Amino acid sequence: MVIFRDRIAATKPLVFALCLLPLAHLIWDVTQGTLGPDPVAQLEHRSGDWALRLLLATLALTPLRRLTGLHKLIRFRRMLGLFAFFYASVHLAIYLIVDLGGFWSQLLGEIVKRPYITVGFTAWLLLIPLALTSTQGMMRRLGRHWQSLHRLVYAIALLGVLHYYWLVKADHREPLLYLCVWLTLMLARVRWRSRAAGKPLRAAA
Amino acid sequence: MNVSTPSPSTITPEPVYRRRREVLKLIGLGAAGLATGCSSQAAPSTPPPPTPASADALTIARRVDDAGGAAQTTLADATHYNNFYEFGTAKDDPAKHSGRFQPRPWSVEVGGLAQDTGRFTLEDILKGQVLEERVYRMRCVEAWSMVIPWVGFPLGNLIKRFKPLASAKYVAFTTVERPTQMPGQNTRVLDWPYREGLRLDEAMHPLTLLAVGMYGRTLPNQNGAPLRLVVPWKYGFKGIKSIVKIEFVERQPRTTWNVMAPDEYGFYANVNPAVDHPRWSQATERRIAGSGFNLFGNRIATLPFNGYAEQVAHLYAGMDLRRNF
């Protein structure tokens, strides 16, 4: 019985389910009341963590593909990217609706006045066009421009790391870890790019 | 000020939490027994960690609600969600990593510009002090807050005993430095030991409390055992914990957070909704209190001087609170 086109297609539902696990965990903790003394802060931190992790995972696919030779990995990229956008949206919604509920006048000022919120909000805004143009149809329609547009994701990930770094009071180890991951992924790209520079152009992904 | 009557549902009844602790202790002992020989961490070289249950009940002369009848934070939340970087930077680190800390025996070195200085044992310090319960709002600089029943005595009563000289204008405090018992001190997150300070008139103010307990019992390690400062109109980081040194000085002392980021944490650190932290707003706060799990409605407006303006605003008359934040 053949349901899936190939192994990648067969694995996709599993990856999809895995990406939903953090959300399920959050919902479970909400229903059980096990988010600790400051549940809203927990919801914000955990949804934000997963947005950032999935964004970096999306960025990691291309280097991983080159490293392992498993070129089909690229087919998970859209799903991971969309889940990053999904968790970023959940993160923002929790902040707006659950945390600031009733204090929205404060929020409008916050986005402009607080660099860490400005940066985080900008990152979310920039993800919108990427999510909207993530379909096959849009890819075809935009042609070469699609790739230039989607390069934005590097900047977005950096904004996400910065958003985290700026809200921490003194212990910067965790945001710095995310920064290291980002830098490593960038360096990998730069190296491959410079190596590939001498060779004939590779086929577009 | 009115005598507090928190609704019974908002607090964990003492017998219940004591029983819980006993169960936890039993589990802990059982686990240690099972783990013999295979776990290095479970085999303590020091006596078993003191838990709030091993804390002694304190004799309290009077109880005062200085939080306007607001619902209290539960004992579990106040002891498992706080900042005490000496034990780690996560909110649950202090409860997790303070088990090895030994708050007894304890002594405090009193020095500087005063007639009676020297080293005083904790018993010495407590001699003649009448313990009272004070329910205070506690506002963290991170924009969350709690309502906590502290047990202690006015710092001013102790200061009078040392007879500060006329030249003494400030009081400086230092936290104990014990990297073997305080794992957070092995990282360079802050410049150890932690230091705080008050202007002498702030220190003498009747609201300024030297606490030895909370929720009717001696302070748990994670909340600053055995002796800590509570200044309810200032951000929580002013409330220095596990104090080993009190010094009377002429000039404004260097304090840990102020030295680390002077544009973010002022020496005064009075709660002020009109002066934001450079990176976040101080206009509102998330209140952690009441019967546990609430997702909505936790955010409330922050009050000037944390709601104690009537009692303390005169201390800062004529001062520009934007500059002296």
Side-chain angles (χ1 to χ4, degrees), chain B residues 234-249:
Chain B
K234 293 177 180 283
Y235 293 119
F237 69 87
K238 293 296 287 182
I240 185 169
K241 307 181 183 86
S242 307
I243 298 167
V244 286
K245 197 169 173 188
I246 300 176
E247 233 182 327
F248 298 93
V249 294

Side-chain angles (χ1 to χ4, degrees), chain B residues 20 34 39 50 52 56-57 96 106 116 121 150 153 155 166 178 216 234 238 241-242 251 260 285 304:
Chain B
R20 265 188 222 150
L34 286 173
S39 164
D56 309 313
K96 272 195 225 158
W106 196 265
D116 294 333
T121 64
W150 302 103
F153 55 90
L155 171 65
R178 289 185 191 168
K234 293 177 180 283
K238 293 296 287 182
K241 307 181 183 86
S242 307
R251 292 186 181 206
M260 181 169 140
E285 65 203 46

